[in-house]
Amino acid sequence: MNAPVPKPWIMEIAPYVPGRSTTDSGKKAAKLSSNENPLGTAEAARTAFDAARVDLERYPDAGATALREAIGAHYGLDPARIIYGTGSDEVLHLAAGAYAGPGDEVIFVHYGFAVYEIAARRVGAVPVIAPDQDYATDVDAILACVTEKTRVIFIANPNNPTGTFTSRAEIVRLHAALPKSVLLVLDQAYSEYLDAEDDDGGLDLARTESNVLVTRTFSKIFGLAAERIGWGYASAEIIGAMHRIRAPFNVTIAGQMAAIAALGATDFVEQSRTHNKQWRGWFADQIASMGNKGLRAVASKANFILVLFEGDVSAETAYKGLMDRGYIVRWLPGQGLPHGLRITIGTAEEAQGVAAALRDIVGG
Ligand SMILES: *Cc1c(COP(=O)(O)O)cnc(C)c1O
């Protein structure tokens, strides 16, 4: 042995592939590959970020007190039971790290969020993939995967990359059927895009149940992806366990200040939700009108649409064609979706442009 040997389970991780921001030719393009907010971020968040330029030599508040209090006040939660992370990605890793280890099982759905598998493998746990039901989460399939080795279940709702949604009744049914020793993680990265009546009840479960963690992010509707701030809500015991392995100063001063301001900018959030709903509907109709060319949009409640290519033109051909025409979308062969493109709902101009480019490519 003439060099350090990584743990075998680490080498089984397929590295995360982020959405691209430049085309093959390096030409500037519309980035519709990472589900970012096309309207930017709230002016108040930008102002707060700028104001944080002072004291660069100081560590941030390790307890993120002001941020937790702002989140608690906004959502009616106990600040003491809020954990925060370098993006909600970190919170997902903390959940796996605190509750799963070598030989344990971590369940998530086929076509689930890519980070779940990495989080499971990182701690030596065995990823268990529950079959989907036409791209959506199937609660019975998840329950069928539960064994006495199951420690954590990750569900994104709405799910990424499919955009599908699991109802409150189904989430409650899943939770009720689980052993109390299994941690149910409800990843609500896109929940602010839902209509009020579509609330999946995750926060209500996390308020009262001993085995539910809800995660949220400032990266999506709040438009602060650059600052990497996510958070989670669960029982004091779960939060306490996760804090033990959290990096001590994991959220920057500017990020904390911008996030607090973003929470208060309710007009911006409302405008973003309305914009998304309008153009998501419009874009889905456009895809439906290309149904004779084998295109199909999976019904989405998020800020993106998974388009399936089931006709003569392949997703790969469309991906490259869109790139040539100045639109970067997400092709996901590594996630079992060589026949799909995930397309973020951009500005009005971007949505119209990418639809026209697709029509040009498929000849619809
Ligand atoms: C984007 C996303 C996240 C988290 O992003 P962060 O930027 O790390 O907060 C988490 N879960 C899902 C399903 C996502 O799509």
Side-chain angles (χ1 to χ4, degrees):
M1 216 76 78
N2 57 5
V5 179
K7 290 299 175 193
W9 55 84
I10 299 299
M11 298 317 286
E12 278 166 26
I13 294 174
Y16 182 81
V17 183
R20 297 176 50 159
S21 40
T22 51
T23 59
D24 287 333
S25 64
K27 196 170 64 186
K28 199 167 155 30
K31 187 183 176 204
L32 303 175
S33 57
S34 297
N35 303 340
E36 295 147 339
N37 189 333
L39 305 184
T41 193
E43 202 45 47
R46 228 177 263 288
T47 304
F49 178 86
D50 287 343
R53 284 169 61 96
V54 293
D55 293 344
L56 281 180
E57 75 283 11
R58 304 288 177 204
Y59 280 109
D61 171 15
T65 310
L67 175 61
R68 284 187 296 105
E69 282 173 357
I71 293 169
H74 189 84
Y75 296 98
L77 303 172
D78 175 2
R81 289 167 53 190
I82 293 170
I83 188 139
Y84 37 92
T86 307
S88 53
D89 283 353
E90 184 188 12
V91 181
L92 300 170
H93 278 287
L94 296 177
Y99 289 95
D104 293 335
E105 293 175 354
V106 172
I107 301 173
F108 47 88
V109 297
H110 192 205
Y111 312 125
F113 184 43
V115 166
Y116 305 153
E117 178 159 358
I118 298 173
R121 290 195 189 277
R122 175 187 177 174
V123 298
V126 179
V128 176
I129 297 172
D132 62 296
Q133 190 176 52
D134 197 23
Y135 299 92
T137 297
D138 180 344
V139 161
D140 292 308
I142 292 173
L143 286 172
C145 291
V146 174
T147 72
E148 71 270 18
K149 290 186 180 163
T150 306
R151 295 291 173 272
V152 180
I153 299 176
F154 286 113
I155 292 181
N157 202 29
N159 185 41
N160 172 13
T162 61
T164 54
F165 180 72
T166 307
S167 71
R168 184 180 188 125
E170 283 292 277
I171 295 289
V172 166
R173 185 166 76 85
L174 169 64
H175 174 261
L178 290 177
K180 291 286 181 245
S181 58
V182 173
L183 176 63
L184 176 61
V185 181
L186 299 171
D187 175 347
Q188 299 187 335
Y190 301 98
S191 62
E192 297 87 357
Y193 284 105
L194 296 170
D195 293 331
E197 67 269 21
D198 280 338
D199 176 7
D200 72 3
L203 281 178
D204 288 340
L205 284 177
R207 280 186 182 97
T208 55
E209 302 299 324
S210 59
N211 62 335
V212 176
L213 167 69
V214 165
T215 63
R216 295 275 186 117
T217 182
F218 283 94
S219 301
K220 303 286 160 57
I221 210 166
F222 294 105
L224 289 173
E227 279 308 292
R228 314 296 306 117
I229 308 154
W231 57 277
Y233 197 70
S235 71
E237 289 73 18
I238 292 171
I239 296 301
M242 293 197 296
H243 269 306
R244 287 163 206 271
I245 54 172
R246 177 178 60 75
F249 302 98
N250 59 341
V251 182
T252 64
I253 294 175
Q256 293 188 34
M257 291 176 70
I260 292 166
L263 268 183
T266 48
D267 286 355
F268 175 80
V269 172
E270 194 46 48
Q271 187 195 345
S272 300
R273 180 179 15 247
T274 306
H275 168 88
N276 184 67
K277 190 174 176 179
Q278 178 191 343
W279 288 98
R280 184 183 61 204
W282 181 86
F283 190 67
D285 289 346
Q286 293 292 306
I287 298 302
S289 75
M290 292 181 247
N292 59 337
K293 300 292 172 182
L295 271 59
R296 171 158 79 103
V298 176
S300 170
K301 294 211 184 215
N303 66 341
F304 56 85
I305 286 189
L306 178 64
V307 180
L308 305 173
F309 291 74
E310 300 169 328
D312 292 340
V313 177
S314 72
E316 182 175 15
T317 299
Y319 172 69
K320 290 178 176 157
L322 288 175
M323 181 96 72
D324 289 342
R325 289 163 178 78
Y327 297 93
I328 304 178
V329 301
R330 196 75 163 265
W331 178 44
L332 295 161
Q335 280 182 253
L337 289 165
H339 56 298
L341 296 182
R342 193 195 68 192
I343 303 177
T344 304
I345 304 304
T347 60
E349 196 187 357
E350 288 166 342
Q352 289 168 315
V354 75
L358 258 182
R359 198 175 288 286
D360 186 32
I361 292 162
V362 302

